[in-house]
Amino acid sequence: MGKALPTDDGSLQKDDSALVVCFGEMLIDFVPTTSGLSLAEAPAFKKAPGGAPANVAVGIARLGGSSAFIGKVGEDEFGYMLADILKENNVNNEGMRFDPGARTALAFVTLRKDGEREFMFYRNPSADMLLQEAELDFDLIRKAKIFHYGSISLITEPCKSAHIAAAKAAKDAGVILSYDPNLRLPLWASAEDAREGILSIWETADIIKISEEEISFLTKGEDPFDDAVVRKLYHPNLKLLLVTEGPEGCRYYTKEFSGRVKGLEVDAVDTTGAGDAFVAGILSQLAADVSLLQEEDRLRDALSFANGCGALTVMERGAIPALPTRAAVLNALLKPVA
């Protein structure tokens, strides 16, 4: 069994009624100090904390919201460093576990000249894959307003079973389930496995955020800009389907309405964490007021804010260091930043 952190009474001063609990992987990205070079050509790498669910948790806290992270890291210096980073960023890390036998996951990331990324992962197996159902903090999960997760935690056992048990406990407690598949093909055994795994939990989510590439992938090459194609992915229990389009902004689909919200124009330096910042932007607002889902005008404002979160994140290197504050986003929405 992985260790938990010693408890600290003063850890949660924030409003617990709007808590977002993020579940999944936290790892260390090694990012080249020079953009536009392959991994082989890069002269040096800088370590940066990463992992989509952890980025979302920090993003929410940075925006002034209440968040927690549940996942497993190695009982090693990197693992404790990541736990400290969450704490420094006001994320509740009581649900973290430390594996004595496996290392914290690492990913080497290359930044192409256009700011897009390629990945090489070291996970054989890494600690995040070894989280067990018995190690879950069910009290924390049930306390959440929103429970957010990806699909990387579905790839291998025992983490897959822990993921399913955590989501079921959340659902049974009336928690809103939020899903960002975050496709990372190299981590799956095959493309078919990835498609099947991602869709295996599709029907249980209340909110799903996907990118255009993920729509093409899940529909085996259909047009992601065709509303009829997107609607095929809309299941009967879904409250909100969001499609991110990078700099173009996003599209939204509910049972009653759909539309598009334009993005902010900025100069992209590094797209790492932009999607996670967008998710943090929308979830932080939904956690505070779920009725946004029923009112299109207010939902559009919330999505405009979320687009701003994503835009500001691409202007700086790395995910966690680049995640914006609420004031910075509101400021950028008032006056264009480009």
Side-chain angles (χ1 to χ4, degrees), residues 110-174:
T110 49
L111 284 182
R112 300 202 310 247
K113 285 195 170 56
D114 60 1
E116 283 299 335
R117 301 150 302 161
E118 286 162 9
F119 297 88
M120 183 166 79
F121 292 94
Y122 283 69
R123 302 169 86 229
N124 51 341
S126 53
D128 59 288
M129 300 155 77
L130 302 177
L131 181 70
Q132 299 168 46
E133 189 177 333
E135 296 172 310
L136 293 170
D137 186 336
F138 284 108
D139 290 341
L140 185 58
I141 292 165
R142 293 187 187 104
K143 252 196 324 205
K145 184 67 152 294
I146 298 174
F147 182 69
H148 176 73
Y149 46 86
S151 70
I152 290 174
S153 42
L154 292 171
I155 299 174
T156 36
E157 293 290 5
C159 187
K160 179 182 179 179
S161 293
H163 176 138
I164 290 164
K168 184 181 185 316
K171 191 92 177 163
D172 291 348

Side-chain angles (χ1 to χ4, degrees), residues 209-263:
K209 171 251 165 195
I210 39 176
S211 66
E212 303 147 271
E213 301 81 34
E214 286 160 349
I215 294 175
S216 296
F217 176 75
L218 293 173
T219 58
K220 299 188 176 176
E222 292 191 48
D223 179 7
F225 297 101
D226 180 347
D227 277 358
V229 170
V230 180
R231 281 284 178 193
K232 277 198 247 183
L233 290 169
Y234 197 98
H235 67 76
N237 307 316
L238 199 54
K239 295 184 174 70
L240 177 63
L241 176 64
L242 295 169
V243 179
T244 52
E245 300 181 347
E248 303 304 315
C250 68
R251 280 176 280 157
Y252 59 90
Y253 300 82
T254 73
K255 282 190 187 68
E256 283 77 37
F257 46 76
S258 63
R260 172 184 254 116
V261 181
K262 253 176 35 174

Side-chain angles (χ1 to χ4, degrees), residues 19-23 53 57 66-70 91-95 140:
L19 176 68
V20 180
V21 173
C22 300
F23 173 91
S66 170
S67 66
F69 173 75
I70 292 179
V91 175
N92 174 339
N93 64 7
E94 291 161 22
L140 185 58

